[in-house]
Amino acid sequence: MLTDIEIAQKARMLPIEEVAGKLGLERKDLELYGDYKAKIKDSVYDRLKDKPDGKLILVTAINPTPAGEGKTTITVGLGQSLSRIGKKAIIALREPSMGPVMGVKGGAAGGGYSQVVPMEDINLHFTGDMHAITAANNLLAAAIDNHIHQGNALNIDIRRIVWKRCMDMNDRALRQIVVGLGGKLNGFPREDGFNITVASEVMAILCLADNLTDLKERLGRIVVAYTYDNRPVTCAELQVNGAMALLLKDAIKPNLVQTLENTPCLMHGGPFANIAHGCNSLKATKLALKLADYVVTEAGFGADLGAEKFFDIKCRFGKLKPDAAVVVATVRALKYNGGVKKEDLSKENTEALKKGIANLEKHIENIRKFGIPAVVAINHFATDTAEELAIIKDKCAQLGVDAAICQVFEKGSEGGTELAEKLCGLIDKGEAKYKPLYDLELSIKEKIETINREIYGGKDVVYTDNALKEIAAIEEMGYGNLPVCMAKTQYSLSDDPALLGRPEGFSLTVREVRLSAGAGFVVVITGKIMTMPGLPKVPAANRMDIDENGVITGLF
């Protein structure tokens, strides 16, 4: 079989105007970025806002493993399969981050014959949204240091600046740095650090803002530092939220692209799910619901992270009402959760599979806690045996959940028609009764403990002294009624990546709690999670190249 990039390079893409035409859009509704990419103008939603919404489908997964689950591949394949069976469908995805593309994970545009194209553009600079977010974030960082250098009229305590610079690359050396060295002309020396762009609050704000006005107001609410008398200092006080919104004026518009089979896809925003809320922009999802009858979207990593935040943050803020969820699982990943080493995953091992399937069972339970019906998508690999596949399907039947074997990686839409048909049948039953997991009036600690108990399966929560002080300060400032955004390892239901399967009775350690007043949530950092990843020993970038004819190799 051809590699992902070889398949993508052979794709027969339609001009983006033709893809838009499938959605009832015209050239005047688009801002073109070449032949195959476009941004959709705000006037489109204004025109369609009173139209009934389509059906909203969330694709989530079990906890990811080094074997890979192919959640985005299933998402893209499902969108193509819905189109194949005659449904008017659209896909809504996040944009890839350059850090993982050049690091371990690689691209985020699907795989095999279920990809979004132009894959190379999407995985590299795309339409420049990431750069705009980075620029806006760093404008605010520069304004803080400049304000202090120019006299510090706001009385900012330079020991308590909480806003960090960012860049869209994995670079561990920038986690903790010192800025302002070199004497009086360069400002005041202080400790600082970088986040990866997708962990910036600016990214979260862009993905939750309704329009430019809302964006500007949210940017103004960002708490950047505290004064010597313990008062929070906001971006609005530094008077740069207008300029930041200006930098983001194009980035806020959803991007339109297509799949290998020319199904429309809105690709917009890209917060990580292990350190942010892990969903594409609310603006793109709301627009998609007006443009098609079926909207397939995804949330990052397992249902304990992305799906929980999709339901408790994105759906709550956007007043969305999901109709169904798809939980992606693989034989390989479930065997890994059952204790099999990565190098042995190709060998049949029914006992390990039966043990590891507890992870899938927990994620199905979690989806149901939000009142959403689910179907399981078994992403098929060539090494899967008939007995192993039967074990998963039998277990799903015992749990009262339908399951479908998917071969969208190898066959595109043809390999996902069973899933598409079962999903439509599930939606037609009208069983969805969405409800958030917790009430916003609960204290911050009660929200954390509810998620730990109900979603992770933990027993109790241990707070560092620093975390307790931060929670108290956030509640004292009047932000106690915000939802919480858990920053946690994606590899386990717990905060310990080594605890596979379905761990129970563990203690969750909350190390730090940060206020994201502009985004509208409180970030709770657990375990050893970091907001600036590092590159691996052999980065994916080492395998990438481009020849004299501009042909790219090694990108996946």
Side-chain angles (χ1 to χ4, degrees):
M1 183 171 169
L2 299 174
T3 64
D4 288 355
I5 194 166
E6 288 171 338
I7 292 170
Q9 288 169 342
K10 292 178 180 295
R12 294 183 178 179
M13 291 184 282
L14 295 177
I16 200 64
E17 298 98 315
E18 290 187 37
V19 178
K22 295 185 176 188
L23 301 170
L25 302 180
E26 301 177 8
R27 170 64 183 86
K28 66 180 181 180
D29 297 318
L30 308 175
E31 294 177 2
L32 300 186
Y33 283 65
D35 296 332
Y36 306 113
K37 300 170 290 185
K39 283 188 172 288
I40 299 179
K41 296 179 181 178
D42 291 337
S43 56
V44 173
Y45 185 80
D46 294 337
R47 186 172 76 235
L48 301 176
K49 62 184 178 182
D50 295 325
K51 183 183 176 184
D53 285 345
K55 302 298 184 182
L56 181 57
I57 302 150
L58 174 70
V59 179
T60 183
I62 62 174
N63 288 102
T65 72
E69 283 62 64
K71 177 160 52 65
T72 303
T73 301
I74 294 293
T75 303
V76 176
L78 175 58
Q80 294 185 149
S81 298
L82 285 167
S83 297
R84 186 183 183 92
I85 65 172
K87 307 297 183 182
K88 186 178 181 182
I90 191 170
I91 302 162
L93 295 174
R94 292 170 295 160
E95 302 175 45
S97 166
M98 198 80 73
V101 169
M102 298 294 170
V104 176
K105 185 174 181 286
Y113 289 94
S114 291
Q115 295 186 60
V116 183
V117 286
M119 180 265 245
E120 295 140 294
D121 292 0
I122 288 168
N123 281 317
L124 298 175
H125 301 287
F126 200 20
T127 57
D129 293 348
M130 291 288 183
H131 303 310
I133 292 165
T134 302
N137 182 103
N138 293 340
L139 168 61
L140 178 53
I144 296 166
D145 284 305
N146 183 61
H147 179 86
I148 294 168
H149 178 70
Q150 301 295 349
N152 198 6
L154 292 172
N155 198 33
I156 293 172
D157 184 345
I158 63 172
R159 301 165 301 180
R160 299 192 65 200
I161 296 171
V162 295
W163 189 254
K164 292 186 176 184
R165 289 163 166 82
C166 78
M167 65 182 295
D168 191 34
M169 184 53 61
N170 295 1
D171 192 344
R172 62 175 57 82
L174 295 179
R175 288 172 185 159
Q176 290 181 288
I177 62 173
V178 176
V179 297
L181 297 178
K184 183 177 180 181
L185 289 178
N186 294 344
F188 289 84
R190 67 175 183 87
E191 290 188 55
D192 197 3
F194 274 72
N195 292 324
I196 191 167
T197 297
V198 287
S200 168
E201 188 178 350
V202 177
M203 171 64 82
I205 289 171
L206 183 85
C207 289
L208 293 170
D210 285 328
N211 48 50
L212 267 175
T213 300
D214 184 35
L215 175 72
K216 185 162 60 176
E217 290 174 353
R218 285 175 176 271
L219 292 169
R221 293 198 294 269
I222 295 172
V223 173
V224 301
Y226 294 87
T227 64
Y228 285 101
D229 54 358
N230 209 33
R231 183 185 66 80
V233 178
T234 66
C235 173
E237 291 179 274
L238 292 165
Q239 300 178 6
V240 291
N241 54 314
M244 293 170 70
L246 174 61
L247 290 172
L248 297 167
K249 69 179 181 63
D250 295 316
I252 195 174
K253 299 170 187 173
N255 305 299
L256 176 66
V257 283
Q258 62 190 295
T259 71
L260 291 172
E261 298 184 20
N262 313 120
T263 299
C265 176
L266 295 182
M267 206 161 202
H268 193 223
F272 280 175
N274 59 345
I275 50 182
H277 68 288
C279 305
N280 71 286
S281 78
L282 188 55
K283 195 175 174 72
T285 301
K286 284 186 169 183
L287 178 60
L289 288 166
K290 301 300 181 184
L291 292 172
D293 297 327
Y294 290 84
V295 177
V296 184
T297 190
E298 71 169 5
F301 298 124
D304 55 319
L305 284 170
E308 185 272 316
K309 296 168 186 179
F310 174 83
F311 293 126
D312 278 328
I313 297 175
K314 181 175 178 176
C315 290
R316 196 195 302 259
F317 284 170
K319 297 180 172 56
L320 302 177
K321 295 182 179 179
D323 294 279
V326 175
V327 182
V328 178
T330 66
V331 169
R332 292 156 57 87
L334 290 173
K335 286 192 291 190
Y336 186 87
N337 271 280
V340 175
K341 294 180 180 179
K342 183 180 177 181
E343 56 268 26
D344 296 326
L345 291 175
S346 297
K347 303 173 185 176
E348 183 178 82
N349 190 327
T350 56
E351 290 306 310
L353 177 62
K354 290 175 182 177
K355 181 181 178 183
I357 209 166
N359 187 267
L360 172 61
E361 181 179 10
K362 176 58 176 166
H363 287 295
I364 293 170
E365 289 177 13
N366 287 348
I367 296 298
R368 286 172 164 167
K369 289 182 179 182
F370 295 97
I372 303 300
V375 61
V376 171
I378 306 171
N379 191 13
H380 183 267
F381 282 73
T383 55
D384 299 345
T385 68
E387 185 176 357
E388 289 173 326
L389 293 169
I391 288 171
I392 299 176
K393 295 196 79 170
D394 289 347
K395 181 63 175 182
C396 289
Q398 293 172 21
L399 297 171
V401 177
D402 217 342
I405 297 172
C406 297
Q407 294 179 285
V408 295
F409 182 89
E410 296 174 318
K411 300 180 179 181
S413 64
E414 182 186 352
T417 53
E418 181 189 7
L419 174 64
E421 288 167 351
K422 287 185 174 182
L423 180 65
C424 289
L426 181 65
I427 291 172
D428 289 344
K429 292 179 182 179
E431 296 176 348
K433 295 179 181 178
Y434 161 70
K435 61 182 186 301
L437 183 69
Y438 54 79
D439 192 286
L440 291 179
E441 298 310 310
L442 293 176
S443 68
I444 292 174
K445 289 177 67 175
E446 287 174 321
K447 292 167 193 167
I448 295 169
E449 288 156 13
T450 298
I451 293 172
N452 180 53
R453 182 178 63 252
E454 298 295 328
I455 302 299
Y456 305 158
K459 181 180 180 182
D460 51 25
V461 178
V462 177
Y463 301 88
T464 65
D465 290 342
N466 187 53
L468 290 173
K469 290 176 183 176
E470 289 164 336
I471 290 171
I474 290 168
E475 291 182 333
E476 188 176 339
M477 287 188 288
Y479 293 106
N481 63 345
L482 297 180
V484 295
C485 182
M486 303 295 290
K488 180 184 76 69
T489 179
Q490 65 268 35
Y491 298 114
S492 171
L493 285 159
S494 73
D495 60 346
D496 180 356
L499 293 180
L500 302 178
R502 184 175 180 169
E504 294 179 309
F506 56 85
S507 295
L508 182 83
T509 300
V510 173
R511 179 167 54 87
E512 186 179 349
V513 181
R514 301 174 184 172
L515 173 64
S516 290
F521 52 66
V522 175
V523 179
V524 178
I525 299 176
T526 68
K528 297 179 180 179
I529 199 73
M530 293 181 178
T531 54
M532 171 52 88
L535 290 171
K537 186 174 183 179
V538 182
N542 289 13
R543 299 186 291 272
M544 297 179 191
D545 202 357
I546 185 168
D547 68 15
E548 65 274 13
N549 298 313
V551 177
I552 294 173
T553 54
L555 185 63
F556 64 100

